[in-house]
Amino acid sequence: MKRLLTTILAGITAAGMAMAADEKPAQEPIKIGAIFGVTGPAAFLGAPEAKTAEMLVDQLNAKGGLLGRKLQLVLKDSGGSPEKAVSFAKQLIEEDKVLAIIGPSTSGETMQIKPICENAKMILISCAAAEVIVNPLAKYVFKVPQKDSQAVTWIYNTMKAAGITKIGILSDNSGFGQAGKAQLEQLAKVQGMEIAADEVYDKAAKDLTDILTKVKARDVQAVVNWSIVPAQSIIPKNMKQIGLNVPLYQSHGFGNVKYVKAAGEAAEGIIFPSGRLLVAESLPADNPQKAVLMAYKHDYESRYKEDVSTFGGHAYDAVLVLTSAIQKAGSTDRDKVRDAIETLKGLPGTAGIFNFSPEDHNGLALDAFEMLTVKDGKFAEYKK
Amino acid sequence: MRPRPLVPVLAAALAVVALQVAVTAAGREYYLTQTIMAAYYAVVALGLCLVMGYAGQISLGHAAFFSLGGYTSAVLTTADLTPLARSGWGGPLLRLHLLQARAGLYGGETIGANPWAAFGGALLLTFAVALLVGYPALRLKGHYLAMATLGFGLIVYRLLLGTNLTGAADGITGVPPWRLGFGLEISGDGAQRIANYYVAWGLVLFTILLLTHIVHSRAGRAFRALHGGETAANSMGINTAAYKLRAFVLSALLAAAAGSMLTHYSGGIGPSEASAMKSVRYVALVAAGGMANLWGVLVVSATLNFLSLRGCFGSYDDALFGALLIAIVSLAPEGPLQPLTAQGRRLWSRLAGHRVMTTPEGPAP
């Protein structure tokens, strides 16, 4: 028994020594950690984000990398689970000793690792939308998607211009839907909108005629729906079926041509706020975002043979913000890079023009959004 | 021969210490992070092992019990109970240390429940819920517990997703450290990692000791009789329903305790912990470990969860656990480690120099 234990102990110790002894090359690559929900319930966000990040790092390396060093992406698939995001964040911080972490895809995961990154003084550039990520402000935590409140402000402004004041709100029971619902309710008071109906449904619902009939009975002038797939395409169809012929407004989550195709003709005339990625071709040539948007769209679609989505664009922006800051700092010292992010001004990304500051770790203004509509099965700018 | 459970537990304790010494000597203490998390998941699998391997029942709701423990701790310790503390109840509650003040991460101070009190609340709640789910289901013959727990698990998952108190889809964050006394605390603080490692593996060894004791006691013999044939056991005067219920409630309590402690370690919890896929995972781990084989379940579940938490299976994580369950159920229903452990026991007795009958420790499947 004693001999067996000694053998086991010796074996474990030897294995540990062997692992410690691996040597490091002279010119190390700059390591960037990434946590995305490539599989699981958030795959519609995580999959295009992971592809985009891989593509960008490959492109930068083909051009010789940054500061004469190659970039290395350490990609982790969290499956949308917070406990994995926690494990991976600690791994990236302590073992891989990455310069910064981009992601996670969802607000829930981001909030779980926000304190971990802040305590470890690790730069985190989140691809999730919730406002709480940057408010209260954490010194090392940034985010690149537009805020929900900005999307809601755009919707209400557009409604008021069209003379609409009495509306019905629909939202699904996902985190995205509930965050949007909270903003819609809060800003309705400020903007003087009357919410005549406020309904929540299951995110996997296949038919929503029942709650739409309820909304119809309240005599609303317009309907706002805040949800993820597939309800975004079911609601316009159901509205036509029950003869609820009022304008339908949706969230910025509608920004993928797939959802238009799923809704068919019923999608015509849907109005929603979005970044400019979806209408990149029709932007005037002097738009500062046009070059970035066209390049991303072309590169992504030719490499992966699938339509570009605004979600992948968040990963694009996260890599862009980080690499711009490394270049500006002229160093891979983490604190210098963090400081450099706060000084980035007028940086065109896919979500908008970024203007970071020590008080604003999102850097996007209201003009990051534009109102789009569906015309002949395609996205087009909405004009009153 | 009456096995002495203390010997293998002591050997395991030595292995736990050896692992820590080895990774510290190698300067790779970060391996302990996932080892700690895997230990808590192993406790859930060990508890489920009692239900599946010994009482012959399947529970598809253990992820729900785990999150019941985790969420109760998270809700009670993060909720701002300042109004309660200012009311007439506040004085006695604070004096009994059921409430504690803590500094917020971004300034300010809030008053929440003491983690010990929250832990007690989590166990009480789980005890009541497990009784409620198990009592009717276990009085019936057949796999009614599997159906009842599957439904229960789905309900808990939906409730967590739809309740603002539990943070809906985002879950709860900012769970404070749990100070155990003697300078120990359960928290993700890097300086406390070795202490956390011993707390987590201490719980694992305690669980093994408790379960081996039960398995080799009067109750254990009742379980074996029950597993062999419920009618026969009943006719021998064994109250099978009561024994099954006890096993089920105990394993639910172990899952809740693990959930509560892991939540303090991670600093938060999300609804994915309660998903049906997680419950299936625990069942797969118990099946892979050999059903009625506590050590097999411990080794398999700690190893697979460690690798999974380190992201070794990449995007194939869920697929791997599903495939594992299918493979075992169709190819080796008695558990893939069973032949191996029988071999090991034969080898062991030859090494030890005396002849021992090689009877499997658990009941025949």
Side-chain angles (χ1 to χ4, degrees):
Chain A
M1 169 117 187
K2 206 186 272 170
R3 200 186 310 156
L4 187 71
L5 275 176
T6 336
T7 321
I8 293 171
L9 262 176
I12 293 170
T13 321
M17 300 288 195
M19 282 186 289
D22 50 8
E23 281 169 37
K24 284 172 182 168
Q27 184 66 296
E28 272 184 81
I30 303 173
K31 279 190 183 175
I32 301 174
I35 303 173
F36 292 125
V38 183
T39 53
F44 70 103
L45 303 167
E49 284 167 354
K51 285 178 180 168
T52 302
E54 279 172 340
M55 180 184 84
L56 267 181
V57 167
D58 284 352
Q59 282 177 351
L60 281 163
N61 282 337
K63 283 185 217 152
L66 273 181
L67 311 176
R69 288 165 67 182
K70 296 269 181 202
L71 293 171
Q72 185 193 343
L73 188 73
V74 186
L75 179 65
K76 299 277 183 183
D77 177 3
S78 70
S81 305
E83 69 274 11
K84 278 203 175 162
V86 167
S87 171
F88 293 159
K90 289 181 179 174
Q91 227 179 333
L92 291 171
I93 291 168
E94 294 176 332
E95 297 177 39
D96 298 308
K97 298 196 168 59
V98 296
L99 173 65
I101 298 174
I102 58 173
S105 315
T106 66
S107 302
E109 291 167 88
T110 306
M111 290 309 291
Q112 298 277 0
I113 69 170
K114 181 181 174 183
I116 295 174
C117 290
E118 182 71 0
N119 287 333
K121 301 194 184 332
M122 168 60 66
I123 302 170
L124 177 70
I125 306 179
S126 173
C127 293
E131 316 235 16
V132 283
I133 295 169
V134 291
N135 180 29
L137 195 80
K139 203 175 164 201
Y140 288 84
V141 181
F142 300 82
K143 75 161 191 135
V144 284
Q146 305 94 335
K147 292 176 189 155
D148 290 339
S149 63
Q150 292 167 340
V152 173
T153 306
W154 267 101
I155 290 177
Y156 283 163
N157 285 344
T158 315
M159 283 178 168
K160 281 203 282 197
I164 296 169
T165 54
K166 189 180 177 188
I167 58 166
I169 296 177
L170 303 174
S171 55
D172 73 10
N173 58 356
S174 70
F176 181 71
Q178 290 310 294
K181 175 183 149 82
Q183 292 293 338
L184 283 166
E185 287 167 356
Q186 203 182 331
L187 287 170
K189 288 176 210 144
V190 185
Q191 299 257 29
M193 304 296 287
E194 184 197 339
I195 299 176
D198 195 348
E199 300 287 334
V200 179
Y201 53 84
D202 187 83
K203 64 181 175 197
K206 299 272 185 296
D207 186 286
L208 295 159
T209 41
D210 51 344
I211 64 162
L212 283 166
T213 312
K214 245 162 121 183
V215 173
K216 191 182 178 190
R218 302 277 165 78
D219 226 8
V220 297
Q221 290 172 289
V223 174
V224 189
N225 173 55
W226 213 276
S227 70
I228 54 171
V229 280
Q232 299 187 107
S233 308
I234 296 170
I235 286 178
K237 279 200 246 177
N238 285 169
M239 281 175 70
K240 289 279 174 309
Q241 282 159 5
I242 65 163
L244 178 55
N245 294 318
V246 296
L248 171 63
Y249 291 78
Q250 300 225 51
S251 75
H252 44 302
F254 192 63
N256 190 324
V257 170
K258 265 192 279 190
Y259 311 141
V260 175
K261 283 181 189 142
E265 265 183 35
E268 290 295 304
I270 290 176
I271 306 164
F272 68 104
S274 171
R276 295 181 176 81
L277 181 60
L278 304 171
V279 288
E281 276 107 343
S282 56
L283 287 177
D286 61 344
N287 186 304
Q289 274 183 274
K290 177 141 186 166
V292 175
L293 294 174
M294 289 304 288
Y296 173 46
K297 190 174 155 70
H298 170 266
D299 294 346
Y300 186 91
E301 290 178 354
S302 58
R303 177 165 165 154
Y304 295 114
K305 312 279 179 264
E306 64 178 32
D307 283 335
V308 74
S309 76
T310 52
F311 309 126
H314 299 324
Y316 187 100
D317 293 344
V319 176
L320 181 75
V321 165
L322 181 64
T323 49
S324 306
I326 294 172
Q327 226 140 22
K328 192 163 181 188
S331 145
T332 53
D333 178 86
R334 196 175 295 125
D335 281 301
K336 283 186 188 149
V337 173
R338 191 215 75 89
D339 294 346
I341 296 179
E342 285 183 347
T343 64
L344 291 175
K345 305 275 179 210
L347 177 71
T350 68
I353 312 282
F354 288 97
N355 289 297
F356 287 99
S357 75
E359 294 79 37
D360 185 359
H361 278 195
N362 179 211
L364 290 173
L366 204 52
D367 62 12
F369 275 123
E370 192 145 346
M371 290 308 275
L372 301 187
T373 186
V374 179
K375 206 174 170 189
D376 304 324
K378 287 201 187 85
F379 292 128
E381 277 174 79
Y382 172 76
K383 294 184 187 79
K384 282 147 261 180
Chain B
M1 186 191 76
R2 187 179 160 78
R4 287 160 298 171
L6 262 179
V7 176
V9 170
L10 282 178
L14 278 178
V16 167
V17 175
L19 182 68
Q20 184 262 314
V21 171
V23 294
T24 304
R28 310 239 156 178
E29 243 166 49
Y30 45 69
Y31 281 123
L32 295 184
T33 299
Q34 287 85 19
T35 316
I36 293 165
M37 297 173 86
Y40 288 122
Y41 291 125
V43 170
V44 185
L46 285 173
L48 190 57
C49 181
L50 182 69
V51 175
M52 282 174 63
Y54 293 92
Q57 297 286 319
I58 291 178
S59 164
L60 284 167
H62 265 55
F65 288 120
F66 178 91
S67 31
L68 213 56
Y71 268 100
T72 310
S73 276
V75 168
L76 290 178
T77 54
T78 57
D80 188 5
L81 301 175
T82 315
L84 179 70
R86 297 239 170 87
S87 73
W89 291 96
L93 286 176
L94 279 167
R95 234 168 292 134
L96 286 169
H97 295 288
L98 291 177
L99 296 178
Q100 69 171 25
R102 65 194 173 90
L105 187 58
Y106 309 101
E109 196 188 68
T110 53
I111 294 178
N114 183 318
W116 282 106
F119 183 69
L123 292 187
L124 274 179
L125 180 68
T126 308
F127 180 76
V129 171
L131 266 186
L132 214 65
V133 174
Y135 186 78
L138 288 169
R139 298 189 80 79
L140 301 168
K141 244 183 177 176
H143 285 308
Y144 285 96
L145 186 72
M147 281 187 253
T149 48
L150 179 64
F152 161 71
L154 291 175
I155 291 169
V156 169
Y157 181 57
R158 286 283 150 203
L159 281 179
L160 292 176
L161 272 182
T163 312
N164 285 333
L165 184 68
T166 58
D170 287 347
I172 298 179
T173 56
V175 176
W178 179 358
R179 300 216 160 74
L180 300 169
F182 311 109
L184 287 181
E185 64 176 42
I186 302 182
S187 75
D189 183 3
Q192 288 278 342
R193 187 159 32 203
I194 292 181
N196 268 282
Y197 171 78
Y198 283 110
V199 169
W201 282 90
L203 180 72
V204 171
L205 294 180
F206 166 77
T207 306
I208 288 257
L209 209 55
L210 179 74
L211 294 182
T212 29
H213 182 75
I214 291 174
V215 167
H216 293 303
S217 71
R218 185 186 167 83
R221 288 193 294 279
F223 284 137
R224 242 164 285 189
L226 198 150
H227 203 283
E230 201 170 333
T231 320
N234 263 328
S235 65
M236 299 287 284
I238 296 169
N239 187 350
T240 51
Y243 274 115
K244 284 190 283 184
L245 186 61
R246 268 182 234 170
F248 177 66
V249 171
L250 175 66
S251 76
L253 287 175
L254 285 171
S260 176
M261 290 166 89
L262 181 57
T263 299
H264 281 283
Y265 178 70
S266 294
I269 186 168
S272 57
E273 286 287 16
S275 67
M277 192 59 216
K278 266 279 158 75
S279 285
V280 172
R281 244 170 206 241
Y282 294 127
V283 171
L285 289 172
V286 174
M291 295 298 252
N293 182 344
L294 291 171
W295 292 104
V297 170
L298 174 62
V299 169
V300 167
S301 101
T303 312
L304 283 184
N305 271 323
F306 175 77
L307 294 174
S308 160
L309 286 165
R310 290 185 61 79
C312 291
F313 308 133
S315 293
Y316 299 99
D317 205 59
D318 277 344
L320 182 106
F321 279 86
L324 185 72
L325 190 59
I326 294 172
I328 288 159
V329 168
S330 51
L331 299 176
E334 75 284 2
L337 290 185
Q338 205 78 315
L340 278 179
T341 45
Q343 281 287 333
R345 212 167 280 137
R346 221 167 291 147
L347 193 70
W348 173 257
S349 53
R350 210 168 294 155
L351 278 176
H354 49 85
R355 288 162 56 141
V356 181
M357 288 274 286
T358 54
T359 43
E361 210 170 283

